[in-house]
Amino acid sequence: MEEAASKHEEQELVETLSGELEQVTARMKPHFRRREAHEAASSYVKALLSATERKNMWGLSEEAGRVAPYGLQHMVRRGSWDEEAVRDEVQRYARERLGEGGVLAVDETGFLKKGEKSAGVARQYTGTTGQVENCQIGVFLAYVAERGHTLLDRELYVPEHWFTQPQRCREAGLGQEVAFRTKPELARGMIERALKARLKPSWVVGDEVYGRDTKLRAFLEEQRQPYVLTVASNTPMDRGLAQVSGAQIHSTLAPREWRRLSAGQGSKGPRLYDWARVRVNSCAAPLTRWLLLRRSLTDETDVAYFLVHAPSSTSLETMAAIAGKRWPVEECFESAKGEVGLGDYEVRTYTGWYRHMTLCMVAHAFLAASRALAHEQEKKVRPKVLALPHRDRMHRFRRRQGLDSSACRSKKSDA
């Protein structure tokens, strides 16, 4: 009886997710001029969600039941549709399914490339490998809420030297309206779009690339937007009538000013560090600015510095927890690349990059919503049913949708 009840609940979830996927693809429809383009985009999204390992154009076309990739290629490269409007739809969907009041996390990831034709490609440092590579860099905005996290927005970083080569820009589809923007400027544009769309994030978080940009910090403070941004140890800040660095403040802290707190759950349990904070001058009342310090438990010389802009009543525990909200964006990159083909594209043009990333965000937001729905159902299940052997519900859903590739099935049958 218990096993039958579990199967029934799983069947209900599969049907719920199937209906959810149809709703997601239907929400895109108003932003396509032609029915064929919308159908191709829907097939693209469903193929991205499949278990196939090859999520290039040929692999996606095979999953979509097409004999050749030309229809999908045309949709991504030259089809008549508004990828910016679809991105806005992703943001609305994420807020509806994951909840309001989440954290906006800005970060970047690299996409390794060969050759010099792809828009924005250059030899540049990427955290993906931790070294200089021939790659494209995408700056992304993630939404981290209690019910899950997903990618909300994307911008392609085009190095400044590209704009000294007009012919190269034209061949890569960079129009005259595209100008050089730094990574923090790209981040600011995405945050500004989110705020104008009436998204009300509780915090904005980002690493040192974004924290060291005074214009980005000033913009957030003008918006009365709380933030926790990583900064360098030598970042100047005013304390009283003196200008000091984070390292100088660190050297004055007494042992009693440090507290051991968790920055959130990691794969091995709570991420524990020693934390301290010092109030510094702020010109954006009623919010207050602090320097927040995080020290490793095993190496006291390993100290990270954050500037915090928040209400004066904000506790140290809250600041530590919010500082840890930057890690989920790494999980977004890992799952988006591993599950929905974020890095498997074969487009070289500027517009093609944005369209592929947008459709990947559609698929990724659906996965985040699906996990939230599955988690809510599990909380309703009777304790005895929860003791039954675990089943891969997403695998069942993929089979029901015809998204479980034959290659994947054959591997399982051979095992």
Side-chain angles (χ1 to χ4, degrees):
M1 292 291 291
E2 291 172 354
E3 186 169 358
S6 178
K7 287 182 178 179
H8 175 70
E9 286 157 356
E10 288 188 357
Q11 181 67 21
E12 283 187 342
L13 179 61
V14 169
E15 293 175 356
T16 298
L17 296 185
S18 298
E20 185 75 10
L21 180 57
E22 294 307 315
Q23 287 185 40
V24 169
T25 55
R27 291 176 72 144
M28 298 192 298
K29 189 173 183 179
H31 312 303
F32 288 77
R33 292 185 181 180
R34 297 178 61 86
R35 176 178 56 82
E36 295 84 359
H38 175 251
E39 290 176 351
S42 299
S43 297
Y44 197 91
V45 169
K46 291 177 181 179
L48 288 172
L49 289 164
S50 73
T52 184
E53 295 179 4
R54 296 174 60 248
K55 291 185 178 176
N56 54 25
M57 282 296 184
W58 278 101
L60 295 177
S61 295
E62 290 174 2
E63 281 298 320
R66 296 169 177 249
V67 296
Y70 309 123
L72 298 186
Q73 288 174 339
H74 178 81
M75 179 272 299
V76 172
R77 296 173 181 173
R78 294 180 295 276
S80 297
W81 59 284
D82 188 346
E83 63 274 8
E84 303 302 296
V86 174
R87 176 210 57 211
D88 294 342
E89 199 66 57
V90 170
Q91 294 189 4
R92 287 189 287 269
Y93 176 75
R95 292 166 59 187
E96 291 171 13
R97 296 299 187 266
L98 303 182
E100 298 280 0
V103 173
L104 288 179
V106 61
D107 205 351
E108 62 192 66
T109 189
F111 304 96
L112 303 184
K113 291 294 171 183
K114 296 180 180 179
E116 300 179 348
K117 298 295 185 180
S118 298
V121 70
R123 287 194 59 78
Q124 52 194 327
Y125 175 82
T126 170
T128 303
T129 62
Q131 58 188 16
V132 174
E133 302 276 5
N134 195 63
C135 65
Q136 292 172 300
I137 297 293
V139 180
F140 289 82
L141 191 66
Y143 187 60
V144 183
E146 290 299 320
R147 299 180 66 196
H149 42 269
T150 190
L151 301 174
L152 283 191
D153 207 343
R154 70 287 176 264
E155 289 283 6
L156 178 63
Y157 172 70
V158 182
E160 191 170 12
H161 71 262
W162 262 76
F163 296 95
T164 65
Q165 306 170 61
Q167 180 63 27
R168 189 184 187 193
C169 287
R170 283 193 294 271
E171 291 174 354
L174 277 74
Q176 293 184 353
E177 73 282 1
V178 181
F180 173 71
R181 287 186 291 170
T182 65
K183 294 171 185 176
E185 286 173 338
L186 295 173
R188 172 178 169 172
M190 291 189 291
I191 295 169
E192 193 167 4
R193 279 198 294 267
L195 296 179
K196 285 183 177 179
R198 298 185 180 180
L199 183 69
K200 297 179 180 179
S202 53
W203 296 83
V204 171
V205 298
D207 67 15
E208 188 179 329
V209 172
Y210 308 95
R212 70 188 177 204
D213 189 84
T214 57
K215 292 182 179 179
L216 176 59
R217 298 201 310 262
F219 165 73
L220 293 172
E221 293 184 6
E222 288 170 2
Q223 303 299 315
R224 303 295 189 263
Q225 174 60 56
Y227 65 70
V228 176
L229 296 172
T230 309
V231 295
S233 61
N234 62 354
T235 300
M237 57 199 76
D238 295 324
R239 190 181 183 198
L241 299 177
Q243 188 174 79
V244 294
S245 69
Q248 288 173 319
I249 293 177
H250 173 221
S251 66
T252 66
L253 294 176
R256 67 177 182 278
E257 295 182 80
W258 293 90
R259 290 180 58 192
R260 189 154 298 177
L261 299 168
S262 170
Q265 288 292 322
S267 58
K268 298 180 181 180
R271 293 186 173 101
L272 293 174
Y273 296 92
D274 288 332
W275 297 83
R277 66 174 178 176
V278 175
R279 193 179 298 234
V280 295
N281 292 8
S282 175
C283 58
L287 302 188
T288 305
R289 192 186 298 150
W290 285 271
L291 173 69
L292 176 68
L293 302 95
R294 185 190 72 199
R295 187 176 67 188
S296 168
L297 302 186
T298 57
D299 181 2
E300 290 192 353
T301 65
D302 182 6
V303 179
Y305 301 83
F306 308 84
L307 276 177
V308 178
H309 179 247
S312 58
S313 59
T314 307
S315 66
L316 180 60
E317 291 89 344
T318 297
M319 292 183 188
I322 297 303
K325 294 294 186 181
R326 197 173 65 79
W327 284 309
V329 72
E330 297 294 340
E331 296 176 10
C332 285
F333 291 147
E334 183 179 353
S335 61
K337 289 182 177 181
E339 296 183 84
V340 298
L342 191 76
D344 295 343
Y345 54 94
E346 293 177 325
V347 291
R348 291 180 174 178
T349 66
Y350 188 75
T351 298
W353 186 90
Y354 276 87
R355 289 183 164 186
H356 171 79
M357 295 300 163
T358 302
L359 295 177
C360 285
M361 291 194 312
V362 172
H364 195 258
F366 166 75
L367 283 183
S370 298
R371 292 185 177 109
L373 288 169
H375 180 67
E376 289 175 359
Q377 187 191 62
E378 286 177 357
K379 290 194 295 186
K380 299 176 183 177
V381 177
R382 298 184 307 276
K384 289 186 178 181
V385 175
L386 283 175
L388 292 172
H390 174 73
R391 291 178 174 86
D392 186 347
R393 291 175 172 178
M394 185 53 70
H395 174 61
R396 288 174 61 87
F397 165 71
R398 282 172 169 153
R399 289 189 63 183
R400 179 73 174 267
Q401 289 291 308
L403 301 176
D404 195 8
S405 69
S406 58
C408 192
R409 288 195 296 270
S410 64
K411 287 181 182 179
K412 292 180 180 179
S413 62
D414 292 341

